[in-house]
Amino acid sequence: MQKQINFDLSSVAGGGLQEKLNHAIEKVTKNILDPNTDQTKKRKIQINMVFSPAKSGEAVDVDTQVKTTLVPENGVGTTLLIGKSDEGTVIANELKSGTKGQTFIDPETGELKTDTGQPVSEVEAAEQASEKKVIDLQAKKG
């Protein structure tokens, strides 16, 4: 007995559809295993087939597409400290210490840094350079 419909999905277009499906499954599994995504959310693979019959009605062109719906990577948040300088220009720095005005020890370098990640030693050096030197008049007597 001969099959009425001889259209095996694994052999469509010389196995091209199966290749596309395998690639989509690989994308989905990589997305599930990605630690930056929610592993519990559902992913989807969709096979679309568009049939375009010829005018004679004796042949049909079939276009197949395989689409994946993946879970986006989890977002990452931060806090941005904003303000204006004495000159009126806008200033924006990422808060790195957790609390505005709080210093912290950089876990990578062990260096003490400001709330925006600038080394405290640089801030102190800049402050010392900008301070006017006090002249000790008592020492100048003489």
Side-chain angles (χ1 to χ4, degrees):
M1 185 155 143
Q2 188 178 13
K3 284 184 177 179
Q4 294 292 325
I5 298 177
N6 191 13
F7 194 74
D8 184 17
L9 293 180
S10 64
S11 61
V12 167
L17 177 59
Q18 185 67 51
E19 261 185 56
K20 288 182 178 291
L21 181 59
N22 291 347
H23 182 68
I25 291 171
E26 182 180 347
K27 285 170 66 174
V28 166
T29 55
K30 281 182 179 179
N31 186 253
I32 292 169
L33 294 172
D34 185 343
N36 295 312
T37 64
D38 183 345
Q39 281 79 26
T40 62
K41 290 194 175 180
K42 295 179 181 179
R43 279 77 167 165
K44 181 168 63 172
I45 296 175
Q46 181 178 352
I47 299 174
N48 292 327
M49 302 179 96
V50 179
F51 296 83
S52 303
K55 283 195 178 219
S56 68
E58 294 179 1
V60 178
D61 287 333
V62 181
D63 181 44
T64 59
Q65 291 182 340
V66 178
K67 296 180 181 180
T68 57
T69 303
L70 305 176
V71 173
E73 288 189 355
N74 300 327
V76 291
T78 190
T79 301
L80 197 60
L81 299 174
I82 60 171
K84 288 188 176 185
S85 69
D86 293 337
E87 295 80 31
T89 58
V90 175
I91 299 173
N93 289 296
E94 182 180 13
L95 177 65
K96 302 221 181 201
S97 68
T99 305
K100 184 177 178 181
Q102 178 180 356
T103 57
F104 71 100
I105 297 174
D106 186 327
E108 292 179 17
T109 64
E111 188 175 18
L112 186 62
K113 294 190 174 182
T114 67
D115 58 357
T116 60
Q118 184 178 10
V120 170
S121 58
E122 288 179 12
V123 174
E124 289 175 345
E127 286 176 358
Q128 288 175 356
S130 67
E131 289 179 2
K132 295 180 180 174
K133 294 188 177 186
V134 178
I135 299 172
D136 185 358
L137 295 177
Q138 295 295 328
K140 294 269 182 186
K141 267 185 176 175

